[in-house]
Amino acid sequence: MPSVRLAILSNAGGSGKTTLSIHLAYELARRGATVALIDLDPQGSLSLFCGLSPAAPEESTAAVLREEFEGDWPLVQCWPEQVQGVELCPGGLVLTQTTHEIALHPRGSYLLADRLVDYPLPHDCLIFDCPATLGPLPMLALAACTHILVPVQLQPKSIQGSSKLLEWLYLMKRQLRLQPEPQILGFVPNQSDQKRAAQRQILESLPETLGKINIKCFPPVRDSAEFVNASAVGLPLPLHRPSHPARKDFDEVAKAVHKLIGG
């Protein structure tokens, strides 16, 4: 099983989970690592952001979690003409049904972790893109991951939501009796606009606030319409606009994950 299994967690919609997932996958692949993106979101945004058509239920993460699964992971290559090493296990609306099945299954929250033990993937890193809830699907990721990244918008509501996410994480780690416990790799401030005084104040205080509880705050990802434009054509920003300054905004977090892989 890959040594780095990274859950992208946030209980807030629009926090940039999928954008962080695909840009991190791209940056790791550019550094020579292999990455599997595992979509746990019923919205299936990873497929859209990677320029892929929505997957059929039997070709999605939902199929992996069913009893009849025999190890044939439904992986699709992402951007094969531009970069090698990124594959996607698609999500989709069928995962809403999976949520109910998890609640009834004796191994519930451990289903994904069990699949990765029984049918391990060969990639250097797995990235779990989770829905904006604190329900059963993020719990699958929590029970299967080694590390956690939290994207957060620089808004009071988002910061408050992140504190509730941390409370949930500490509670679930105890209740699930995870051994070893996954480590919080850090927070990634997202959609940063330095022209807004409120955002500047939050960004100035966030590293110190997180530092008091031993959580790293990565450099911010700027607010740019080009991220939306890139996702609309199914590409990460460095492939869509190779000279855009925001293409380097994920470098520090990619460097940290690459170091965990052993790069």
Side-chain angles (χ1 to χ4, degrees), residues 6 19 22 24 27 42-43 50 61 73 89 93 109 126-127 174 196-197 205 226 229-231 247 249 253-254 262:
L6 189 62
T19 299
I22 69 163
L24 183 54
E27 289 297 333
Q43 294 191 48
C50 291
T61 309
W73 289 82
C89 184
L93 194 58
S109 300
L126 308 184
I127 297 176
R174 283 201 310 273
R196 298 183 180 181
S205 62
E226 287 300 336
N229 295 336
S231 66
R247 73 190 187 282
D249 286 2
V253 66

Side-chain angles (χ1 to χ4, degrees), residues 44-60:
S45 298
L46 272 177
S47 295
L48 176 66
F49 283 32
C50 291
L52 301 169
S53 300
E58 62 272 19
E59 297 294 329
S60 73

Side-chain angles (χ1 to χ4, degrees), residues 5-10 12 14-25 35-50 61 88-92 95 112 126-133 137-142 145 147 149 151:
R5 302 185 299 279
L6 189 62
I8 310 295
L9 287 171
S10 171
S15 61
K17 292 183 295 298
T18 304
T19 299
L20 175 58
S21 296
I22 69 163
H23 284 85
L24 183 54
V35 183
L37 290 159
I38 310 294
D39 196 350
L40 292 169
D41 192 341
Q43 294 191 48
S45 298
L46 272 177
S47 295
L48 176 66
F49 283 32
C50 291
T61 309
L88 165 66
C89 184
L95 283 166
L112 180 58
L126 308 184
I127 297 176
F128 307 132
D129 187 25
C130 299
T133 70
L137 292 170
M139 286 178 68
L140 285 174
L142 181 61
C145 74
H147 297 82
L149 269 176

Side-chain angles (χ1 to χ4, degrees), residues 29-199:
R30 199 173 62 80
R31 288 166 165 80
T34 55
V35 183
L37 290 159
I38 310 294
D39 196 350
L40 292 169
D41 192 341
Q43 294 191 48
S45 298
L46 272 177
S47 295
L48 176 66
F49 283 32
C50 291
L52 301 169
S53 300
E58 62 272 19
E59 297 294 329
S60 73
T61 309
V64 174
L65 300 171
R66 290 181 181 144
E67 286 296 327
E68 58 268 28
F69 182 68
E70 296 181 341
D72 187 16
W73 289 82
L75 295 171
V76 184
Q77 286 192 48
C78 302
W79 323 298
E81 296 180 357
Q82 292 95 344
V83 66
Q84 298 297 310
V86 180
E87 293 184 294
L88 165 66
C89 184
L93 194 58
V94 66
L95 283 166
T96 55
Q97 180 182 340
T98 304
T99 301
H100 303 300
E101 294 169 355
I102 293 170
L104 299 174
H105 196 282
R107 290 284 295 172
S109 300
Y110 299 93
L111 280 174
L112 180 58
D114 290 349
R115 295 295 182 271
L116 290 169
V117 170
D118 295 340
Y119 308 106
L121 288 167
H123 306 73
D124 297 312
C125 179
L126 308 184
I127 297 176
F128 307 132
D129 187 25
C130 299
T133 70
L134 299 179
L137 292 170
M139 286 178 68
L140 285 174
L142 181 61
C145 74
T146 58
H147 297 82
I148 296 163
L149 269 176
V150 180
V152 61
Q153 289 179 287
L154 296 169
Q155 299 175 3
K157 183 179 178 181
S158 298
I159 298 298
Q160 184 181 39
S162 296
S163 67
K164 295 186 181 301
L165 172 66
L166 290 176
E167 291 176 12
W168 178 83
L169 281 173
Y170 294 130
L171 175 64
M172 289 301 106
K173 285 195 291 187
R174 283 201 310 273
Q175 291 189 350
L176 294 173
R177 296 176 178 265
L178 302 177
Q179 294 295 334
E181 290 189 352
Q183 302 300 306
I184 300 175
L185 189 59
F187 273 44
V188 182
N190 196 26
Q191 300 170 20
S192 171
D193 185 348
Q194 286 297 298
K195 295 178 181 177
R196 298 183 180 181
Q199 287 204 12

Side-chain angles (χ1 to χ4, degrees), residues 200-210:
R200 288 200 305 274
Q201 291 173 0
I202 292 174
L203 188 58
E204 287 171 5
S205 62
L206 191 59
E208 181 179 353
T209 303
L210 291 171

